[in-house]
Amino acid sequence: MAELQLKSLEKTYGNGFKAVHGINLEVKEGEFMVLVGPSGCAKSTTLRMIAGLETVTGGEIRIGDQVVNDLVPGRRGIAMVFQNYALYPHMKVRRNLSFGLRLKRQPKDQIEQSTQVVSNILEIEELLDRLPKQLSGGQAQRVALGRALIKEPDVFLFDEPLSNLDAKLRASMRVRITDLHKRLRSEGRPATVVYVTHDQVEAMTMGDRICVMKDGHIMQVADPATLYERPANAFVAGFIGMPEMNLVPAVLSSNGAARLTLAGQTIMAGPDLTARLQTADGAVTLGIRPQHLEVLEDGAAEAFSGTISNLEFMGHEVNVHARVGDATFVAVVPTERFDTTLQRGDKVGLRPIAARLHLFDPETGENVSLADQNS
Amino acid sequence: MVSYSELPNPAHNTGDAPTQLEIKLRRKARINSALRYTVLAVIGLIMVYPLIWLVGASFKTNSEMFSSPGFWPSEPTVQGYIDGWKTSTPYTFGHFFLNSLWIIIPKTIGTAISCTLVAYGFARFEFPGKNILFATVIATLLLPNVVTRIPQYLLFRDIGWLDSFLPLWVPSAMAGDAFFVFMVIQFLRAIPRDMEEAARVDGATTLQTLIFIVVPMLMPALISVCLFQFMWTMNDFLGPLIYISSVEKYPVSLALKLSIDTTEAFAWNQILAMSVLALTPSLVVFFMAQKYFIEGISTGGVKG
């Protein structure tokens, strides 16, 4: 096992398109790092560069203390799990698992033993003599996982491994992979993992740390709680969390205490926010998670007055969509606290919980309300 | 007759009796398909009749050949086969069959190997001049074979390969058959690259990836290539005619012509009997590999 370092890593394609813009990332030994972002954010390209399946056009990739830029994939000490499993269709599971070891000309009894150990861990012993086409999606993914595991690589690379599975199986495979990672750690052979996904649930539940990417840039690298509570910018704030964080243009005036003006209504944002502020007065993007927006009766103090435009009953909670001027807010209200007399078109008060309010620079998207935590 | 219970009956899974309408519809469907199959069978029979006639006529005597139009011989005889096999040369027909095989087998193997290598290169790698080279390969597809015969003949004459099998083997072993290259490329394009990438991550070199991963996946296409090459070479007349001059090296296609040349009154029954034998290898090989063959051309065509 080893740590992985990306230094000013760049990828420019032959047609001049720059996919990766000099990213820096350090994955510690034994760490589970998730690369997450919308389609086209170059997370897969980055992973494929680490694997050696894409050439590096700038910067450096280090695994352990070795620069691997020009090494062929087989010599990098990596193993990769592909989205569509990529099992060799003409080989039985047993040979699929041992293909890498056989190429390395390991002794037969050793290969046999490794195959047994791995198939035992992944509970695929009874599948060893089947062909890939005789496996279900979940089984195939476990074999693909086994093929990576058997090589005992320095770094595991996962390229959206669960996105071809149905929701239920995805949830159980998620747990299986994190369990496996913990188990290897407790057995004293921690596995360094880079896991690419576009699914924020996977990212949040699996990663020790998460690297959020957009258009070939890293937006933030942090543990899941930090990403959720202290997003570095509006993109991360909007990307992480369900439903999405409300991001609404507003005007800040902090004459002693911060005030926010939106659609002609002004509320006091409270001393907590004032203390955190890093910005001058003017236009800002107000960010508040739906879970941190209280729905009160119309006219409540320090609340925006809005009109309900839609109500979504989710079972344990209700999503309240309300319009304030041109902006739409979504608030999540636990079902037991929801006032069932509310209907579309009703007026309500929306009060952001001050401690959970974020303000972003409308130009750069940077979070300008993190001062106290950063200093 | 098919009973009700055997017919698909989605509306009445519970075992209710079918309604009048259903009975009517099913009867209509049966009449329809009977009509369809009759038309198909008749047209099929018309198309395959020359072949049936050929087989029948090969058992006729030479005098009966043109006197009765039916395909069934009135006095079946295998004399045509016996005489035809002896040929008018010092060699039996078996000798010519061996010659044919001796041309076909190296040529087919050479084609399969060279086409795989070239197609793999074009389908999976980026290299300078790739587009121009690929266009050149495809352009040769459009070129009639006959056009290149004379320059090729001169070339092989200067190398001193005339009256040997080399002019028949070497061009194919150098991926000279652009059609096969194209076919394999199309097939390869339909195969996702992930397996090859997985093999590279597993530590396989390019050649190992090709041999252990790509070739097994290409099998249906390669079988089609071999089959086509087998049949085309078996039937090739012009190539051997130009390059092979000694009767000792004649393949079946030339040997058939031989019996027409040397006899004044053509022994048609012998010619037809040997034609039937000449057809047999292709047919046998085709039916043996039919399953893969169809998989090969359909996948290459549709998904490519």
Side-chain angles (χ1 to χ4, degrees), chain A residues 48 74 84 87-88 90 103 151, chain B residues 194 197-199 201-202 212:
Chain A
R48 290 170 55 82
N84 56 6
L87 298 178
Y88 311 127
H90 54 287
L103 284 177
K151 291 169 66 189
Chain B
D194 297 32
E197 293 182 339
V201 172
D202 266 348
F212 294 132

Side-chain angles (χ1 to χ4, degrees), chain A residues 48 52-53 73-74 78 80 82 84 86-91 99-100 103 147 151, chain B residues 192 194-205 208-209 212-214 216-217:
Chain A
R48 290 170 55 82
L53 297 171
I78 50 148
M80 188 156 166
F82 292 80
N84 56 6
L87 298 178
Y88 311 127
H90 54 287
M91 294 185 197
F99 183 70
L103 284 177
R147 193 170 61 181
K151 291 169 66 189
Chain B
D194 297 32
M195 272 79 86
E196 290 152 60
E197 293 182 339
R200 282 171 64 197
V201 172
D202 266 348
T205 61
Q208 283 172 325
T209 308
F212 294 132
I213 307 299
V214 177
M217 290 194 293

Side-chain angles (χ1 to χ4, degrees), chain B residues 267-283:
Chain B
W268 279 111
N269 60 341
Q270 291 178 26
I271 296 171
L272 293 185
M274 289 308 105
S275 301
V276 171
L277 288 188
L279 281 175
T280 326
S282 297
L283 283 178

Side-chain angles (χ1 to χ4, degrees), chain A residues 7 48 57 105 159 203 213 304 310 322-323 338 340 343:
Chain A
K7 284 186 187 162
R48 290 170 55 82
T57 52
R105 299 184 186 281
D159 190 6
M213 293 183 71
F304 294 114
N310 202 359
R323 295 191 68 78
F338 181 67
T340 47
Q343 282 179 358

Side-chain angles (χ1 to χ4, degrees), chain A residues 137-211:
Chain A
Q139 290 170 334
Q141 196 51 276
R142 260 145 63 200
V143 174
L145 202 57
R147 193 170 61 181
L149 205 59
I150 200 168
K151 291 169 66 189
E152 301 184 354
D154 293 331
V155 180
F156 283 92
L157 305 174
F158 290 86
D159 190 6
E160 309 210 16
L162 305 185
S163 50
N164 280 8
L165 303 178
D166 63 60
K168 212 169 180 178
L169 205 53
R170 205 179 305 160
S172 74
M173 280 300 286
R174 219 162 58 204
V175 175
R176 196 184 270 271
I177 293 174
T178 36
D179 279 352
L180 189 63
H181 185 247
K182 283 184 194 130
R183 174 173 169 177
L184 289 174
R185 189 183 280 167
S186 67
E187 284 175 6
R189 4 173 228 151
T192 310
V193 174
V194 182
Y195 186 107
V196 163
T197 180
H198 62 266
D199 179 354
Q200 55 154 312
V201 177
E202 276 174 36
M204 295 295 275
T205 53
M206 298 174 86
D208 291 329
R209 283 196 300 157
I210 299 171
C211 168

